[in-house]
Amino acid sequence: MKDELFIRGEKVPMTKEAVRALALSKLALHQARHLIDIGAGTGSVSIEAALAHPQLRVTAIERNPAALGLLEENCLHFDCRNIAIVAGVAPLFVEQPADAVFMGGSGGNLTQLIDWSLAQLHPGGRLVMTFILQENLNAALAHLAARHVAALDCQQIQVSLLTGLGSGHYFKPNNPVFLISCEKEKHHG
């Protein structure tokens, strides 16, 4: 889905199209029944997942009031009825275990959120996280090394968009984004 389709706000970050496409692919939602989106923001990941997979239930968690407004507007705009918006700060109580968790922002309590996310997941469930800060990437990789995860994969994505400048064009770069994906081990012990 094009970024322009989403209703956006000045101060609310949004996962951009190319990063969203890779994140959704890494979440492997074709057989999933429940996705938790932590720090849902404008809802771009939740909405694209919900529209592509009508059988999927999405729990979109967001704490910023401005973002919650946009999230609700976007859900209405796209008529997404399989998204439950939760106003609050993760970790919080979510009734059903998840097959996939996406974390677009950690709000500072990263290691706690990784442990909480893994606890929410069924064995074999997928965890996908995106970061722009090197420190958060390093902290996440170090923390995951001590956890029971399999198929750990990390990519840096740098996307530049063709943009007009005077009578010509140039490629205007977006910020590089780091994407980690892994799955909860099926069994250990």
Side-chain angles (χ1 to χ4, degrees):
M1 287 171 67
K2 288 260 175 245
D3 289 344
E4 297 76 38
L5 294 173
F6 297 97
I7 303 162
R8 298 174 68 178
E10 286 293 301
K11 298 272 193 299
V12 179
M14 183 172 99
T15 303
K16 304 290 191 302
E17 183 182 357
V19 177
R20 200 166 58 243
L22 182 60
L24 288 164
S25 141
K26 294 285 183 188
L27 284 165
L29 298 172
H30 47 282
Q31 292 174 318
R33 290 183 306 278
H34 184 206
L35 165 68
I36 298 175
D37 182 0
I38 303 171
T42 52
S44 63
V45 171
S46 284
I47 287 165
E48 189 153 353
L51 292 175
H53 305 280
Q55 86 290 354
L56 187 68
R57 288 190 36 260
V58 182
T59 301
I61 303 170
E62 180 54 59
R63 65 181 182 187
N64 170 352
L68 283 162
L70 287 170
L71 185 52
E72 285 178 19
E73 277 186 70
N74 276 313
C75 285
L76 282 170
H77 178 71
F78 289 100
D79 195 25
C80 275
R81 293 168 196 199
N82 46 341
I83 298 179
I85 299 173
V86 179
V89 181
L92 44 73
F93 176 74
V94 175
E95 205 162 304
Q96 279 192 297
D99 305 290
V101 176
F102 176 71
M103 192 196 305
S106 65
N109 51 350
L110 179 59
T111 54
Q112 185 190 15
L113 279 179
I114 289 173
D115 289 345
W116 179 79
S117 298
L118 291 170
Q120 300 306 307
L121 284 169
H122 288 294
R126 308 275 307 158
L127 170 61
V128 174
M129 300 175 277
T130 56
F131 306 99
I132 55 173
L133 296 179
Q134 188 82 49
E135 290 79 2
N136 285 347
L137 172 72
N138 294 341
L141 286 171
H143 194 68
L144 286 168
R147 293 296 170 269
H148 297 283
V149 297
L152 180 67
D153 170 287
C154 183
Q155 300 186 31
Q156 185 220 309
I157 310 153
Q158 171 71 67
V159 178
S160 303
L161 300 171
L162 189 66
T163 306
L165 181 65
S167 60
H169 292 82
Y170 78 114
F171 280 91
K172 182 181 182 179
N174 282 343
N175 290 329
V177 176
F178 307 106
L179 186 143
I180 293 178
S181 65
C182 60
E183 58 186 50
K184 182 174 179 171
E185 279 190 352
K186 288 189 171 69
H187 46 75
H188 57 264

